[in-house]
């Protein structure tokens, strides 16, 4: 009779939960330090100290570039605004164009509130670090894809301005939802989040709807 190795892989929920908390602490620490002192000046040792973990633990989560990508993922709620926002499909299905844009503005202003400071870090760092160029482009492409889907929804409702080509409409919307707008008006000009959200929704309706 041939012996059978029936060894089972042991999984500890408590250990897995602790590991997840450690990863989240590392990502949060990296994000905070990137915003506070810049990407280039932030070191792995500083991230480890802020997260209260070891240096190898930080490397187990990722390099600095990977940590910035993970911080973006945490800020927008997934790898993509399109693919990881269950509420986005509901927004696109809104039967009233004005309400659709107001709901969309609420969603993207919430993302901007979390992502805008890190986007500034990414823009500055990508200028001198080629490893971040892809992340910067992916972030821009993701927001443009989001804008195109909204424009498609507006066209299907017959609400898009007749004198505005769909590509131009997507370009305008992409510009409006760029987190840099949030940074300029809220961070630099001290608007409230609510005031920005209302401005963004109003600008969308004025520029895009018939």
């Amino acid at each position: 009779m041939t012996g059978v190795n029936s060894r089972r892989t042991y999984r500890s929920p408590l250990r897995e939960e602790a590991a997840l908390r450690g990863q989240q602490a590392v990502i949060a620490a990296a994000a905070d330090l990137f915003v506070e002192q810049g990407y280039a000046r932030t070191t792995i040792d500083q991230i480890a100290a802020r997260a209260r973990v070891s240096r190898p633990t930080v490397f187990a989560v990722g390099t600095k570039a990977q940590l910035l990508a993970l911080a973006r993922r945490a800020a927008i709620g997934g790898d993509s605004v399109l693919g990881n926002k269950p509420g986005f499909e509901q927004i696109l299905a809104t039967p009233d164009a004005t309400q659709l844009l107001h709901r969309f503005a609420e969603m993207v202003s919430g993302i901007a509130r979390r992502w805008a400071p890190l986007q500034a870090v990414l823009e500055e760092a990508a200028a001198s670090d080629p490893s971040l160029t892809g992340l910067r482009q992916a972030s821009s492409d993701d927001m443009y894809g989001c804008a195109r889907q909204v424009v498609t929804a507006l066209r299907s409702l017959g609400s898009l301005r007749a004198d505005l080509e769909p590509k131009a409409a997507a370009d305008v919307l992409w510009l409006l939802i760029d987190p840099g707008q949030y940074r300029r008006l809220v961070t630099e000009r001290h608007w409230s989040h609510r005031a920005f959200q209302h401005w963004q929704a109003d600008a969308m309706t004025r520029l895009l709807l018939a």
Side-chain angles (χ1 to χ4, degrees):
M1 181 176 179
T2 304
V4 178
N5 187 347
S6 60
R7 188 189 310 169
R8 296 179 179 177
T9 302
Y10 175 71
R11 294 182 60 189
S12 168
L14 291 178
R15 187 175 299 170
E16 290 177 357
E17 183 179 349
L20 178 60
R21 286 199 303 268
Q23 292 173 3
Q24 291 172 336
V26 169
I27 295 167
D32 288 344
L33 287 167
F34 290 156
V35 172
E36 289 172 13
Q37 61 186 31
Y39 179 85
R41 292 181 58 192
T42 298
T43 67
I44 295 297
D45 287 335
Q46 290 173 333
I47 295 171
R50 176 70 65 94
R52 297 183 179 179
V53 299
S54 66
R55 180 183 172 89
T57 298
V58 175
F59 279 117
V61 179
T63 62
K64 280 173 58 175
Q66 290 169 334
L67 290 175
L68 183 52
L70 289 169
R72 174 184 181 270
R73 188 180 192 279
I76 70 173
D79 292 317
S80 167
V81 175
L82 295 171
N84 293 279
K85 283 286 179 183
F88 186 52
E89 292 298 327
Q90 296 179 351
I91 291 173
L92 294 177
T94 304
D96 178 80
T98 299
Q99 185 181 5
L100 187 158
L101 289 177
H102 277 263
R103 293 180 66 190
F104 180 59
E106 181 179 6
M107 185 191 88
V108 293
S109 63
I111 292 173
R113 179 184 235 168
R114 300 183 296 272
W115 171 237
L118 283 166
Q119 188 211 36
V121 171
L122 175 60
E123 292 290 339
E124 180 178 358
S128 58
D129 188 341
S131 68
L132 295 173
T133 303
L135 178 61
R136 179 176 60 181
Q137 189 61 50
S139 179
S140 178
D141 291 347
D142 187 44
M143 298 305 288
Y144 188 74
C146 194
R148 287 182 61 185
Q149 288 213 27
V150 171
V151 168
T152 299
L154 296 176
R155 288 185 71 197
S156 69
L157 293 172
S159 300
L160 189 66
R161 278 175 45 185
D163 63 336
L164 193 60
E165 290 293 327
K167 182 185 182 302
D171 290 346
V172 168
L173 188 55
W174 170 75
L175 182 64
L176 285 174
I177 65 176
D178 187 310
Q181 310 291 8
Y182 189 93
R183 190 171 64 250
R184 293 180 186 93
L185 291 177
V186 176
T187 304
E188 297 178 13
R189 303 307 306 163
H190 309 297
W191 285 28
S192 69
H193 175 80
R194 183 177 293 275
F196 176 85
Q197 181 183 318
H198 287 171
W199 167 81
Q200 193 174 52
D202 183 62
M204 289 178 187
T205 57
R206 288 176 182 271
L207 292 171
L208 300 178
L209 299 188

